[in-house]
Amino acid sequence: MSTDTEGHRELPGALRDAQGKADGSFEKAVTATFEHVFEHLNRLNDHVSPGEPDGGDRHLQPGEFPTLR
């Protein structure tokens, strides 16, 4: 799913480096991390198929796994 593996590796380091500083860098690192997570969730949500008209889950297609909905 991820083509930005390097960015994933940098996020925890940025959080660790900024921790305990009183210059706002930790808040910026946390915000950047959450923005990145939400970008991934939005992309994942784009791949989720809509449910049935009554709000229930649609039937699985052959070879489709329920965890990928």
Side-chain angles (χ1 to χ4, degrees):
M1 159 156 221
S2 172
T3 58
D4 53 353
T5 303
E6 188 173 322
H8 290 167
R9 292 182 180 143
E10 291 173 359
L11 290 170
L15 288 167
R16 276 191 298 275
D17 292 344
Q19 193 170 12
K21 294 183 179 177
D23 61 359
S25 58
F26 184 73
E27 289 81 1
K28 289 178 185 176
V30 169
T31 300
T33 300
F34 275 107
E35 286 173 348
H36 189 82
V37 168
F38 289 135
E39 286 175 22
H40 278 283
L41 290 173
N42 284 332
R43 279 188 263 157
L44 182 61
N45 194 39
D46 289 342
H47 294 290
V48 176
S49 61
E52 294 293 319
D54 65 355
D57 289 336
R58 64 170 176 75
H59 294 286
L60 293 174
Q61 300 296 321
E64 184 181 20
F65 296 97
T67 56
L68 296 178
R69 288 186 178 195

